[in-house]
Structure formats: structure tokens, C-alpha cells
Amino acid sequence: MSAGPSPFVPPAQPSPPTPPAPSGSSASGTRLAGAVLIVSTVLVGLMAGLFFAFDVSVMPGLAAGDEQTYVTAMRAFNKAIDGNPLFGMLFLLALAAAVLSAVLEFRGGRRAVALWVGAAAVAYLVVLLITFTVNIPLNNELADAGDVTLMKDFEIVERFKSTWVTTNIIRTLLCTTALAGLARALLLHGRTTR
């Protein structure tokens, strides 16, 4: 009894060539983009927390006291922050890290991630503009108002209670928006690099 013909087995087909990866999407480039995105998120989160703390505790607490205490305390807060080079560096580095992150994500072909990071960078840029055009000039005016024990006109305190406090709330909202955008970007970055 002879065996039947053996079934025909087609020859193995060569697998199609793998398309080249987009520029900047190497493993090391992806890791760098992810690290910069994390740094940006942390820095913006720190700024949002600082502004929020002023909104919910510092400014309401000062408003409950007298004008001389208000001026003295705000001067001390501003001197501590303005005189701290670490704070100044981190305040500006948050924007630089966000911009760099957006560029790295875009070059890595992760356009949706870059869009979220770019939107966060724009929101944080507005925070800087408000700070340098409204809050810092008011801080300087308060610092230049002379000896607090000799002050008779406390109009500057009223401007702080209205303008400074309002713009600080806006800064908090913008920083929180930027933080939410960066959190979304982190989620998308993780999904696209698995």
C-alpha cells in the first residue's frame, strides 16, 4: 500500500520590510521626550500649587488682619520669593521644559502629544505675562511705599485685595489648565510608546 501524495506546502514568503521609524523616535529619543514631559508636568504642578495656596490661605488670612500686617507680610513673602534664585529658575524652567517637550514630541511623530503640551505651554506663558505685567509691578509698588509704621494711605492694600488677588486666581486657573494638558500628554505619550 503506497502513501498518498504529500500535501503541497508553499514556500515561506519573506516578511515585508519594516518602514523606517520617524525622525527622533528612537528609544533614547522617546525616553528623553518622556523625561522632559515629566519634568515639565512636575514644575507646572508646583507653580499651580503655590498660586492655589495663596488663593485659599495666604490672601484670605491677610485680608482678615489690619493693613500694616498685610503690607508687612506681603513684603516678606515677596522678598522671600523674589530673592530665591531656585524659585526664579524653576518658574521660568517650567515654560522652557514645556516648549522643549512639545518639540521633542513633535519630532518623534507624536503629534497629538505635542499638541497637548503646546497648549499647556501657551497657558503657562500667559501666567508669566500676567505675573510680569500685573503682579510684580504691584509687588514693587508695595515695596516702595516706605516705612509701614508711617503709612497713612493704604490704597495699595485695596489694589492687592482686588487686582492682585484676582490675577492670582487667574494664574491658578491657567496653571491648573496647563497641568491638566500635561497630564493628558503624559497619558498619550505612554500609550504611543508601549
Side-chain angles (χ1 to χ4, degrees):
M1 180 172 177
S2 63
S6 60
F8 173 74
V9 179
Q13 297 292 323
S15 56
T18 306
S23 171
S25 66
S26 67
S28 61
T30 301
R31 282 194 297 272
L32 175 62
V36 174
L37 180 54
I38 290 170
V39 168
S40 177
T41 305
V42 170
L43 293 178
V44 171
L46 288 172
M47 294 304 123
L50 173 69
F51 295 139
F52 181 69
F54 269 83
D55 291 337
V56 299
S57 60
V58 175
M59 302 314 283
L62 288 178
D66 62 81
E67 282 83 358
Q68 286 191 347
T69 302
Y70 196 105
V71 171
T72 302
M74 277 306 299
R75 283 177 172 174
F77 294 144
N78 293 333
K79 185 176 179 181
I81 290 175
D82 294 344
N84 187 331
L86 177 61
F87 172 81
M89 181 183 70
L90 295 181
F91 186 55
L92 298 175
L93 187 59
L95 177 63
V99 171
L100 177 59
S101 177
V103 170
L104 291 173
E105 296 293 350
F106 184 83
R107 290 185 62 201
R110 294 174 295 276
R111 305 286 163 84
V113 180
L115 183 63
W116 281 100
V117 179
V122 169
Y124 191 79
L125 176 61
V126 177
V127 169
L128 292 182
L129 292 174
I130 291 171
T131 300
F132 287 110
T133 60
V134 179
N135 296 88
I136 289 178
L138 280 172
N139 292 346
N140 293 339
E141 187 179 342
L142 186 68
D144 297 338
D147 188 342
V148 69
T149 60
L150 303 177
M151 288 177 69
K152 302 295 182 194
D153 181 10
F154 287 96
E155 182 186 340
I156 182 67
V157 173
E158 295 309 312
R159 283 201 295 282
F160 261 78
K161 288 179 179 177
S162 58
T163 306
W164 198 99
V165 169
T166 300
T167 55
N168 195 69
I169 292 170
I170 294 169
R171 292 191 297 179
T172 303
L173 293 173
L174 286 166
C175 263
T176 304
T177 299
L179 182 59
L182 291 168
R184 176 65 178 162
L186 274 173
L187 181 63
L188 291 176
H189 177 90
R191 287 179 180 169
T192 58
T193 56
R194 283 178 186 165

